[in-house]
Amino acid sequence: MKMVRSAMKLFLVLLFHGYLVPWLMMPTKLYFEHWLPEIRSKTNSTYFGPQGSTMLVYTFPILFIATMGCVYLHLGKKHGDESIERVQTSKFTTLKPPVLVKGPLGIVSWMELSFLTMFVVLLAWSTTSYLNGMFVHIDQMASESGLLVWEVKLEMSGLALGLVGNICLAFLFFPVTRGSSILRLIGLTSEASVRYHIWIGHIAMIMFTSHGLCYLIFWAKTEQMARVLKWDKIEVSNMAGEIALLSGLAMWATSLPRIRRKMFELFYYTHHLYILFVVFFVFHVGFTYSCIMLPGFYLFLVDRFLRFLQSQQRVSLVSARILPCQTVELNFCKSPELNYTPTSIVFVNVPGISKLQWHPFTVTSNSNMNPDKLSIVIKSEGSWSSELYQKLSSPFSMDRFEVSIEGPYGPASTDFLRHDTLVMLSGGSGITPFISIIRELIFKANNDGVKIPQILLICAFKRSIDLTMLELILPVSGTTIDISCLQLQIEAYVTREKAAVDDNHMPLRTIWFKPNASDAPVSAILGPNSWLWLGLIISSSFVIFLLLIGILTRYYIYPIDLGSNVTYATSARAGFNMLFICLAIAITSTTAYLWNKKRNSKGMRQIQNMDTPPAWFNNGDRELESLPHQSSFQAAKVYYGERPDLKRILFERKGSSVGVIVSGPRELRQEVATICGSGLAGNLHFESISFSW
């Protein structure tokens, strides 16, 4: 099986490199005058028309890679080959130290900088190639049109900027497709890839805004402002492009860091304008040309609809543990078949607070140690989390609390065992990813018999009452677990208090919720064989789309174009294509979801009929309630009124390999990245975790 997967991986890599060739050649004269006419002459048919060639070159390869990637990942999960990939990945990640720390891009590794540079070079190459080709006969074009040379150059420059912006749009949706097989193939998660979506989005909007301004200035100077309202039946629809641009500008403005952090809800709701943006972009340029950006958006639509189906199910919330530091731990029942890796996240919706808002939180439980439990920790910081804490900490009892969950999403695998020492640095709620990591290492030490690295946990809190979060680090369960096999040293720093406050010793309180027949355990949306089902959805939905559009074109559009002097409207054709894509995805995704839901109904009924709390609640939660200030809290060495000396702590670590994992505010990550990237200590390997709480 290893040979089969290796051959599949090699084939997919070669196919992807072949997919990049048209992008490099698209701005050239060779492509427009020779390659494209040749491809269209061989692929043009009465079933797909001119869009057939574009789908063949730009759409089919990526969807094929995504489908085969799902098969590849399924085989790896089924035959346990992920451990081999983990070793190979760990060797590769040692070549990714941070090179840029402070700046608008954040912390950037050498690898990220290399790919970003190649992408910018592609955009620069495309821009110059388009302009060189357009300016060859610029004088002749100016004389024939009766315009000045600079006016024609302005119009051609606007066109070139729009074409280059489309390249950005083609890659814009890949990083935010949470369940993407393509991201998993290259070792990325959607949470860590959001930054790439931001980078590409900024570049795309700069290009599209410049594109729009060039045409507005051109129309104003040539007294053609009436073209602003033009919605052409066959050619480019200017008005549709303007609506798309305005939608993009609204999203762009509200996504700026200062606005996004201070008015997150405004950013969140405004970003749903992406629907308007994409729809009117397709109306603007026509569906044939839109096929170059279709693969990324198609995979995003599949993922988004599956997440919508999962979000409709209320999950079984078993208990909520209330900590005195305005923090709550939510414990859900989960399907034993659902496995996830440390640092995974889930998106949580509480209809009683907001039916539209979904917030990401790091999973703190371990699927190996607790096969029927999933836990998250939420600290009261913003308005949403504060209202959640107030509802749960209310003295009035409640039997049920409605919650929906999407996910979990996380890395394919983690390999913290490759280091001799692990230094975990957290600020505030950044400690939550480390809870799952420590529990995973405890499980491996007790079951796999492997050598576990020494662990130094450095955590900084503003107030001493926040130290109660340390109680969540070590597991408390009915199972026999030997914690002594883990060499764990905890140092906690309380930065805003000079000494311990006696009022902090408040008891923990746990709320038990009664089971409800309509609730279900947290489970994978497509069951244990989710990768196989996802590949089936992608491939079958695309086949259904091709059948629908082929029938429409052959028996409705083609007779109109051929049998009359009327050309079928481009916008109507685009509308039918978008409708058929949505129908195909909805049909296949819903069918797969209902099939797996019916298959899992037996296990769900067992949870729903449960009339007593599960074993982990009876033993674990009550044990922790009776011992609120023991275990990890007593084991920690606490420093008051000071900050950790990170440079001293890191440089004192001995060993050939020291893994430095940081989770917390941007300032903390930048400081640690600067130390690790300085080159003064070659044994330090930096890794930043995008935590959510």
Side-chain angles (χ1 to χ4, degrees):
M1 188 54 62
K2 296 177 185 177
M3 294 290 293
V4 174
R5 295 186 75 233
S6 298
M8 289 178 63
K9 193 170 186 178
L10 177 61
F11 174 71
L12 294 179
V13 169
L14 293 176
L15 181 59
F16 180 75
H17 282 83
Y19 167 76
L20 294 178
V21 172
W23 288 103
L24 293 171
M25 299 302 297
M26 188 164 52
T28 64
K29 183 178 179 181
L30 175 64
Y31 178 84
F32 273 103
E33 294 186 358
H34 299 281
W35 288 17
L36 186 59
E38 184 70 17
I39 294 173
R40 285 182 174 175
S41 65
K42 293 183 177 181
T43 59
N44 191 22
S45 69
T46 58
Y47 289 94
F48 303 112
Q51 71 189 41
S53 59
T54 312
M55 285 194 294
L56 178 64
V57 175
Y58 294 100
T59 305
F60 176 76
I62 290 297
L63 296 187
F64 182 80
I65 290 173
T67 302
M68 294 303 297
C70 290
V71 177
Y72 174 86
L73 294 169
H74 172 76
L75 294 176
K77 181 180 179 181
K78 184 177 180 180
H79 296 278
D81 292 343
E82 291 181 346
S83 59
I84 299 175
E85 292 182 1
R86 185 165 61 244
V87 174
Q88 295 174 348
T89 304
S90 66
K91 294 178 180 179
F92 191 63
T93 53
T94 57
L95 303 176
K96 300 192 299 181
V99 58
L100 298 178
V101 177
K102 296 181 180 180
L105 298 180
I107 301 173
V108 181
S109 68
W110 278 108
M111 189 62 61
E112 290 172 327
L113 184 61
S114 300
F115 280 102
L116 178 61
T117 302
M118 286 189 286
F119 186 72
V120 172
V121 168
L122 172 63
L123 299 182
W125 152 256
S126 301
T127 304
T128 54
S129 298
Y130 278 128
L131 291 177
N132 287 335
M134 294 173 181
F135 287 176
V136 170
H137 305 292
I138 197 70
D139 294 330
Q140 181 181 351
M141 294 170 60
S143 62
E144 292 177 354
S145 60
L147 300 174
L148 299 177
V149 173
W150 74 268
E151 292 175 339
V152 179
K153 284 186 176 181
L154 181 63
E155 183 184 20
M156 294 296 102
S157 299
L159 176 59
L161 291 170
L163 294 173
V164 175
N166 294 337
I167 300 176
C168 301
L169 191 58
F171 295 93
L172 183 63
F173 290 95
F174 285 109
V176 289
T177 305
R178 295 174 188 168
S180 171
S181 59
I182 293 180
L183 288 181
R184 183 63 66 89
L185 282 173
I186 58 179
L188 294 175
T189 63
S190 60
E191 186 74 5
S193 303
V194 169
R195 60 191 309 194
Y196 310 137
H197 172 77
I198 296 173
W199 295 352
I200 297 173
H202 284 312
I203 299 174
M205 286 312 303
I206 290 173
M207 293 294 177
F208 287 141
T209 304
S210 303
H211 165 74
L213 287 176
C214 285
Y215 273 99
L216 286 175
I217 297 172
F218 171 74
W219 292 332
K221 288 293 184 180
T222 57
E223 299 181 354
Q224 301 182 69
M225 289 303 293
R227 298 182 65 179
V228 171
L229 303 177
K230 176 187 175 183
W231 191 299
D232 198 282
K233 181 181 178 181
I234 306 301
E235 299 177 356
V236 173
S237 300
N238 297 334
M239 190 174 180
E242 290 148 12
I243 296 174
L245 180 58
L246 290 175
S247 303
L249 288 173
M251 290 188 288
W252 192 24
T254 54
S255 66
L256 297 176
R258 289 187 178 181
I259 298 177
R260 186 180 71 247
R261 292 167 186 163
K262 293 183 179 180
M263 296 179 286
F264 179 80
E265 293 185 5
L266 177 64
F267 156 77
Y268 178 80
Y269 292 123
T270 305
H271 236 62
H272 286 81
L273 289 173
Y274 77 86
I275 300 173
L276 274 181
F277 176 84
V278 172
V279 169
F280 282 95
F281 170 83
V282 175
F283 283 142
H284 176 56
V285 301
F287 189 81
T288 299
Y289 188 77
S290 298
C291 287
I292 68 169
M293 54 77 63
L294 179 61
F297 189 67
Y298 193 96
L299 296 176
F300 173 80
L301 277 182
V302 172
D303 177 76
R304 186 65 189 88
F305 190 76
L306 288 173
R307 290 192 282 119
F308 167 76
L309 293 175
Q310 186 182 27
S311 67
Q312 302 308 299
Q313 176 66 60
R314 299 290 184 261
V315 295
S316 178
L317 176 61
V318 179
S319 68
R321 182 183 296 153
I322 311 299
L323 279 69
C325 57
Q326 292 192 328
T327 301
V328 59
E329 180 189 50
L330 301 182
N331 299 300
F332 302 90
C333 272
K334 84 169 185 70
S335 169
E337 295 180 334
L338 175 63
N339 295 311
Y340 50 84
T341 53
T343 71
S344 294
I345 66 167
V346 294
F347 286 79
V348 177
N349 172 261
V350 179
I353 299 177
S354 173
K355 294 183 179 180
L356 298 177
Q357 290 189 36
W358 290 81
H359 293 266
F361 298 97
T362 304
V363 179
T364 55
S365 56
N366 181 266
S367 61
N368 294 317
M369 192 176 295
N370 302 109
D372 58 352
K373 171 185 176 181
L374 186 145
S375 303
I376 60 174
V377 174
I378 303 174
K379 185 170 177 57
S380 178
E381 294 286 350
S383 59
W384 187 91
S385 55
S386 297
E387 187 172 351
L388 174 68
Y389 182 81
Q390 291 173 4
K391 285 180 176 292
L392 293 175
S393 60
S394 171
F396 303 101
S397 61
M398 58 178 69
D399 295 333
R400 183 171 182 254
F401 197 71
E402 289 190 353
V403 181
S404 296
I405 279 183
E406 290 180 4
Y409 307 101
S413 58
T414 55
D415 185 22
F416 302 108
L417 302 179
R418 69 181 186 270
H419 300 295
D420 300 320
T421 303
L422 282 179
V423 180
M424 302 179 180
L425 305 169
S426 70
S429 299
I431 194 175
T432 52
F434 298 149
I435 298 175
S436 61
I437 294 174
I438 292 174
R439 293 185 179 184
E440 175 73 8
L441 294 176
I442 293 175
F443 176 82
K444 286 184 176 294
N446 280 266
N447 295 275
D448 296 345
V450 296
K451 181 183 177 182
I452 303 298
Q454 298 180 358
I455 301 175
L456 173 61
L457 174 60
I458 306 293
C459 44
F461 301 103
K462 293 180 180 179
R463 301 173 301 162
S464 57
I465 195 173
D466 294 330
L467 293 171
T468 53
M469 293 190 68
L470 296 176
E471 299 295 343
L472 303 173
I473 294 178
L474 299 179
V476 282
S477 63
T479 58
T480 302
I481 297 176
D482 183 13
I483 301 177
S484 62
C485 61
L486 191 69
Q487 301 180 56
L488 174 62
Q489 179 184 351
I490 303 175
E491 294 184 8
Y493 292 80
V494 180
T495 58
R496 295 189 180 181
E497 294 178 2
K498 299 294 183 181
V501 180
D502 295 335
D503 295 339
N504 289 342
H505 298 281
M506 300 168 59
L508 300 170
R509 184 165 69 94
T510 302
I511 305 171
W512 163 252
F513 300 99
K514 294 182 179 179
N516 189 283
S518 62
D519 294 341
V522 180
S523 58
I525 179 65
L526 296 175
N529 297 320
S530 56
W531 285 121
L532 205 59
W533 279 103
L534 180 60
L536 183 62
I537 291 172
I538 295 172
S539 57
S540 59
S541 63
F542 190 62
V543 169
I544 292 174
F545 163 69
L546 292 178
L547 288 174
L548 291 174
I549 199 62
I551 294 171
L552 177 74
T553 305
R554 176 64 181 85
Y555 297 103
Y556 178 64
I557 297 178
Y558 182 73
I560 294 176
D561 287 342
L562 185 67
S564 65
N565 295 326
V566 179
T567 302
Y568 196 77
T570 303
S571 57
R573 186 194 295 263
F576 274 119
N577 277 272
M578 289 187 286
L579 175 62
F580 288 160
I581 285 176
C582 294
L583 284 176
I585 291 174
I587 291 171
T588 53
S589 299
T590 304
T591 302
Y593 169 73
L594 293 177
W595 179 276
N596 282 278
K597 185 177 181 180
K598 181 179 180 180
R599 179 181 175 276
N600 297 330
S601 59
K602 182 179 179 180
M604 292 170 61
R605 282 196 297 270
Q606 292 177 354
I607 298 293
Q608 293 164 353
N609 295 331
M610 181 178 61
D611 56 2
T612 58
W616 55 262
F617 173 80
N618 288 323
N619 298 317
D621 286 14
R622 297 194 184 281
E623 179 184 346
L624 189 56
E625 281 189 62
S626 62
L627 300 171
H629 287 283
Q630 297 181 21
S631 65
S632 55
F633 180 79
Q634 283 192 342
K637 188 174 183 180
V638 183
Y639 300 88
Y640 292 92
E642 60 179 292
R643 294 172 56 87
D645 186 352
L646 298 179
K647 185 175 292 187
R648 176 188 60 80
I649 292 171
L650 294 177
F651 285 172
E652 285 180 353
R653 297 306 103 192
K654 297 180 180 179
S656 59
S657 177
V658 178
V660 182
I661 312 174
V662 58
S663 172
R666 180 179 58 181
E667 293 76 11
L668 174 64
R669 290 183 280 117
Q670 290 178 340
E671 182 179 357
V672 176
T674 301
I675 296 172
C676 295
S678 63
L680 299 177
N683 62 338
L684 299 179
H685 303 279
F686 173 81
E687 181 176 350
S688 177
I689 295 179
S690 301
F691 78 102
S692 302
W693 45 268

